Amino acid sequence: MRSRMGALLWRVVLGALLVCGIGLLPWLSRTDPALTVLKARSADRDPSPEVLADIRDRLGLDDGPARLLGRWLAGLPRGDAGRSWISGADVLPGVLDALGVSLLLTAAALAVAVVVAAGVCARTLFLGARRRLQGRPAGGSGSAVLAALPEFLLASVLATVVGVQWGWLPALGWYGPQWTVLPALALGLPAGAVLGRLLDDRLPSAFAEPWASAAAARGLPGRSIARQALRRCVPGLLPNVGLFAVGLTGGSVAVEQIFDIPGLGRTALQAAIAQDLPVLQAGALVLVALAAVTTGVARLAARLLVGPALRDGALHTLDRPAPAARRAPPLVHGVLLLGVVGLGLPRDPLALDTGDRLRSPSAAHPFGTDALGRDVLARVAHGAVDTLLLAFTVSALALTAGVLLGLLPRLSGPLVDTVNAVPPVLAALLVAAVRGNGPTTPVLAVAVVAWAPLAAHTSALLRQERATVHLAATRALGAGRWYLLRSRLLPAVLPPVVRHALLRLPGIALALASLGFLGLGAQPPSPEWGLLLAENQPYAERAPWAVLAPAAVVALLGALAVTAPGLLRPPGRTPRSRGSVRPRRRGAAEQPTAEQLAARAESAGPGRPRGGSVPPPRAGSVSPPRRA
């Protein structure tokens, strides 16, 4: 009870800090909020001292941020979130309407994501149900390419091709179910690919558990075994599903901008740009509350799926060596990426030739030219140097912070929810207010929020690994906390989290690019990838190569990031799983291990499973210890 009250208090403190930081935004940016409000209301009006003084008097800006924030907080218990500084309308009805739009879009995007994730895992489920996963190489890079596609690029292509050229679906506005299809596809396809890859990474370990062999030996149909394998692996991913839901609700700013959707992300962006503090504070508070509710639902669903095994410490570990991967795909992807960079670096990315505007690919310009006649290959290659270096740096920092904070779930749980509720655009605006707009602004903004999914994944895996039989037996034999952490928990948690971080590497590069696409990052004439997509997106219909070239390089980066771990394992060898048996040397006495002792104690217990299900399997045997 105390831990729950402490977590609740920690959430309240973090939410209050976020709201206070937003309330200080105009003063942190050292700008005149009256001038910003005047420009947002009427850009043509002369900012005379009398006009600015009237705005300050009406909004109470001379009272300072503390009194403004105090008056706003005092109205919340009465359901009064203040009035907009720009329109003068009540804030709460508008924010709730925007939240309803975003929740509907998020629900549609999650439905698309579930379908895509099912497609990614279909092959593993099919082979696992038929007990044919032994020695199967790691999954291909097709889903990684799909996960690496930027949402704003998918939105632009879908709106231009499907909505405008083909006329199949409406491309602008929000007036009914038909208007949700294209934005839901733009948001759900990459999210589903990421979730599918994470699930596909754990399914082979679930199918290798003894219960699956026992179920197949008893004649259970393959679809039942596959369904139970999904039930075994899904709880570890539910926290990330909740993070996706909150992130899509508040972070789909670029998609809402392209499709002209009045969602919460776009509302928060417009309020942040205009420094409309009541709207921005109400939107952030709603996102924090939504994150807390989503996290609670995800944890409850995980407990229901796992059942009492999580409480009783009766789970089997999913920590098994990954199957041998093919070394050819990462080598091919790496050579192609290095080839693009190597061919483009000798070229001048800033050379203008207005006579060669929007030229199609040729021998002189393999990727064509942009609207100013600049070589697209040169700009992609020079932008790759900075983008890849920053993406690798941010990924390493996010992985380190995510693992360290994930090992402390009571501290990091509320912090993850609060950080995830902050859209990267809002984080970039807050960073820009303190440090100013520049190339480091998107880096800091992405680094602030990139660790949250990795921390949630680490906490979820750690919670399940602590409930395993072999860990309880090792602890009963006298192992200390540091030994368990170093020898049992970290080896089980780190490999999937590292693969998760690699899967998110192109996503981090795209987060940097999306901020550049929205004008919050590098400025022209920088060849940064997000700026390239933003500059060339208006010409996608006339010169598609100018947009597809950087998008293809980003997809290539995603494929390389996912298949790169295959280079670290020797080809043609299937690692021995934890449940396999090593041949015993002649004359050596076989001694029971900790897992075998725990399994024997479990099988000798008086309890029986309910519902006629397969009895709890014994933990897999390991090699006997050698005598000195």
Side-chain angles (χ1 to χ4, degrees), residues 62 235 249 548 601:
D62 293 333
T249 302
L548 294 179

Side-chain angles (χ1 to χ4, degrees), residues 585 625-628:
R585 290 186 306 162
R626 297 183 179 181
R627 290 186 176 181

Side-chain angles (χ1 to χ4, degrees), residues 39 258 328:
K39 290 182 178 179
I258 291 172

Side-chain angles (χ1 to χ4, degrees), residues 422-481:
V422 180
V425 175
L426 179 56
L429 290 172
L430 293 174
V431 173
V434 178
R435 296 181 53 89
N437 195 8
T440 60
T441 297
V443 176
L444 294 176
V446 174
V448 167
V449 299
W451 60 270
L454 301 177
H457 196 189
T458 301
S459 298
L461 294 178
L462 187 68
R463 190 180 302 112
Q464 292 197 34
E465 194 65 26
R466 282 175 173 170
T468 54
V469 174
H470 77 93
L471 193 72
T474 307
R475 187 186 297 111
L477 292 176
R481 291 184 178 181

Side-chain angles (χ1 to χ4, degrees), residues 80-125:
D80 181 14
R83 290 183 173 273
S84 171
W85 288 1
I86 307 301
S87 64
D90 289 337
V91 169
L92 195 57
V95 170
L96 293 180
D97 290 341
L99 176 63
V101 171
S102 293
L103 288 178
L104 180 59
L105 178 59
T106 300
L110 286 178
V112 174
V114 169
V115 174
V116 174
V120 173
C121 302
R123 180 171 177 266
T124 302
L125 290 172

Side-chain angles (χ1 to χ4, degrees), residues 349-350 374 379 523-528 531-532 535:
L350 303 178
R374 296 172 296 190
R379 295 184 63 76
Q523 301 299 317
S526 171
E528 195 267 336
L531 194 57
L532 289 183
E535 291 174 343

